[in-house]
């Protein structure tokens, strides 16, 4: 019998048939947080996302399938080539099982392509392009916190309904900016509005004067800022210097988070309408998480931080349920398991890897409305996940039957 067993195993190995082993490979589970830690999006996610990931590991118990869980991190500097080199090194020589966060759409697309090639899981919380679960989808790729479609439905939809039916876009000159402009433009037009023009600016631009003058002269009711992080903050500051809002035009910060409002200050940010997938001061559960996060980082979490916590936690739950950290088995569980945590309440994962959850339409408070530090938003509306995200069947993902 023993000889027959050995012969059977030898046959399976020789024929290339995979043998699924229970438990964690290499005796550990290793998760990489790859994001911008020194540039324009450092406050957007940065080292605070690493802390959020570590919080998830600790809340899970520090182990899965009796194997220790380790978080490693690196700064991709918003450069796809650097991110790709780090991802390959992590996967090929450092036994990293999954890569997460991935701020910057061009980076996320590059790393997801590598994960697809090497059959490794990535869960994106920091990038926005819908291509991740559309034409560039992967059976091992997941998009967690938000995307450009959800932002367009939220912020764009609210302003069109309020009479903002003509738009001019200031757009970051890379995949994220193009996607955000396109999604918002489509939504504006579908609701009877029109786009009178747009201009593209380089990432990490310091001088928006020429772009803002074009927006001002366009006569558009809404100037859509299809950018993020310090680019958005700098554009808002310089718009005030040109008197754009005083002249009757409205600014739409299409990707603006709690961290950005804090950096800009309530005086400058008051009245802005924005969309996030999480707000720390919404209810008792979110407040408890927010304060725990604050004790570690000195700041309240935005949707990228809370989304990273959720992604890591769900990945560990999937390994636990699968009984292995083997990619195919874990990906299957990630697609099938409901998401129910402080971030993704009642969330589901589509066949294209999009995690579908509610989003929140928010308005920045006036300084005299804020009751405590980081109390920055009024919640105007909850946007159901089915409305916020593209139907997987219409996403353009070839995995959707």
């Amino acid at each position: 019998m023993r000889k027959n067993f050995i012969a059977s195993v030898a046959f399976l190995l020789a024929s290339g048939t995979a043998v699924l082993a229970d438990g964690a490979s290499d005796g550990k589970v290793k998760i990489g947080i790859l994001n911008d830690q020194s540039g324009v999006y450092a406050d957007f996610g940065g080292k605070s996302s690493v802390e959020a990931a570590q919080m998830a590991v600790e809340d899970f118990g520090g182990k899965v399938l009796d194997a220790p869980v380790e978080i490693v991190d690196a700064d991709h500097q918003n450069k796809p080539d650097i991110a790709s080199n780090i991802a390959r090194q992590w996967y090929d020589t450092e036994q990293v099982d999954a890569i997460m966060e991935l701020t910057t759409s061009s980076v996320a697309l590059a790393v997801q392509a590598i994960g697809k090639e090497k059959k490794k899981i990535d869960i994106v919380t920091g990038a926005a392009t819908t291509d991740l679960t559309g034409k560039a989808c992967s059976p091992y790729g997941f998009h967690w916190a938000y995307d450009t479609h959800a932002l367009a439905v939220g912020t764009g939809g609210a302003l069109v309904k309020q009479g903002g039916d003509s738009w001019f876009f200031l757009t970051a000159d890379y995949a994220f900016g193009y996607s955000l402009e396109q999604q918002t433009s489509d939504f504006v037009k579908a609701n009877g509005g029109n786009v009178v023009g747009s201009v593209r600016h380089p990432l990490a631009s310091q001088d928006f004067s020429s772009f803002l003058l074009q927006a001002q002269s366009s006569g558009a009711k809404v100037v859509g800022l299809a950018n993020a992080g310090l680019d958005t903050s700098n554009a808002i500051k310089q718009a005030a210097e040109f008197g754009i809002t005083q002249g009757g035009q409205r600014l739409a910060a299409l990707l603006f988070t709690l961290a950005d409002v804090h950096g800009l200050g309530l005086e400058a940010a008051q009245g802005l309408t924005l969309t996030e997938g999480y707000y720390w001061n919404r209810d008792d559960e979110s407040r408890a998480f927010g304060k725990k996060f604050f004790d570690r980082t000195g700041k309240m979490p935005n949707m990228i931080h809370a989304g990273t916590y959720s992604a890591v936690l769900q990945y560990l739950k999937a390994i636990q349920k699968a009984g292995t950290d083997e990619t195919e088995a874990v990906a299957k569980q990630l697609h099938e398991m409901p998401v129910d945590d402080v971030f993704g309440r009642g969330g589901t994962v589509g066949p294209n890897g999009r995690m579908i959850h509610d989003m929140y339409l928010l308005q920045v408070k006036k300084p005299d409305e804020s009751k405590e530090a980081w109390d920055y938003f009024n919640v105007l509306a909850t946007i159901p996940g089915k409305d916020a995200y593209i139907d997987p069947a219409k996403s353009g993902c070839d995995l959707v039957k």
Side-chain angles (χ1 to χ4, degrees), residues 107-292:
V107 164
L109 289 166
V111 172
Q112 181 157 292
I114 292 169
K116 185 176 183 179
E117 169 198 334
K118 295 183 176 294
K119 296 188 176 181
K120 293 284 190 177
I121 286 171
D122 70 273
I123 306 181
V124 177
T125 58
T129 179
T130 53
D131 285 351
L132 288 161
T133 51
K135 63 183 181 182
C137 69
S138 162
Y140 318 114
F142 299 86
H143 202 179
W144 218 251
Y146 70 105
D147 65 21
T148 51
H149 187 269
L151 299 175
V153 170
T155 308
L159 291 176
V160 172
K161 289 176 183 176
Q162 294 171 12
D165 56 5
S166 62
W167 287 62
F168 185 96
F169 288 93
L170 266 67
T171 302
D173 193 11
Y174 75 103
F176 152 69
Y178 313 151
S179 181
L180 185 52
E181 179 186 332
Q182 184 63 56
Q183 296 281 349
T184 309
S185 295
D186 289 347
F187 197 85
V188 168
K189 293 172 185 176
N191 284 273
N194 66 94
V195 177
V196 300
S198 66
V199 64
R200 292 175 177 176
H201 68 81
L203 182 66
S205 181
Q206 297 297 313
D207 184 3
F208 286 87
S209 57
S210 64
F211 312 126
L212 289 166
L213 285 171
Q214 291 180 61
Q216 193 172 42
S217 64
S218 74
K221 294 179 183 178
V222 180
V223 178
L225 303 176
N227 49 23
L230 288 177
D231 281 339
T232 306
S233 296
N234 287 334
I236 292 171
K237 289 176 185 176
Q238 292 175 39
E241 295 170 7
F242 283 94
I244 285 180
T245 55
Q246 294 92 323
Q249 291 176 295
R250 297 188 66 173
L251 293 177
L254 295 170
L255 177 49
F256 207 56
T257 74
L258 185 78
D260 302 312
V261 173
H262 184 75
L264 190 59
L266 284 182
E267 190 64 41
Q270 60 181 307
L272 281 173
T273 302
L274 58 102
T275 304
E276 280 218 57
Y278 170 87
Y279 178 41
W280 77 270
N281 206 13
R282 196 172 70 87
D283 57 28
D284 289 343
E285 186 181 10
S286 57
R287 277 188 284 273
F289 176 79
K291 290 176 180 178
K292 184 177 179 180

Side-chain angles (χ1 to χ4, degrees), residues 18-81:
V19 179
L20 180 62
D22 291 337
S25 60
D26 306 311
K28 62 186 174 185
V29 171
K30 203 169 183 180
I31 301 168
I33 304 299
L34 184 56
N35 61 5
D36 176 9
Q37 299 181 5
S38 58
V40 66
Y41 300 140
D43 288 337
F44 187 69
K47 281 290 188 179
S48 295
S49 287
V50 181
E51 281 297 319
Q54 192 60 51
M55 283 175 63
V57 172
E58 293 169 11
D59 287 349
F60 193 79
K63 291 185 176 183
V64 60
L65 305 180
D66 294 323
V69 181
E70 181 183 354
I71 299 292
V72 295
D73 68 275
D75 182 355
H76 60 47
Q77 302 173 46
N78 295 309
K79 297 178 180 178
D81 57 338

Side-chain angles (χ1 to χ4, degrees), residues 368-387:
D368 61 3
E369 294 177 326
S370 179
K371 297 177 181 178
E372 59 181 307
W374 297 90
D375 174 33
Y376 295 157
F377 297 144
N378 288 314
V379 180
L380 301 181
T382 298
I383 306 164
K386 64 181 179 61
D387 298 330

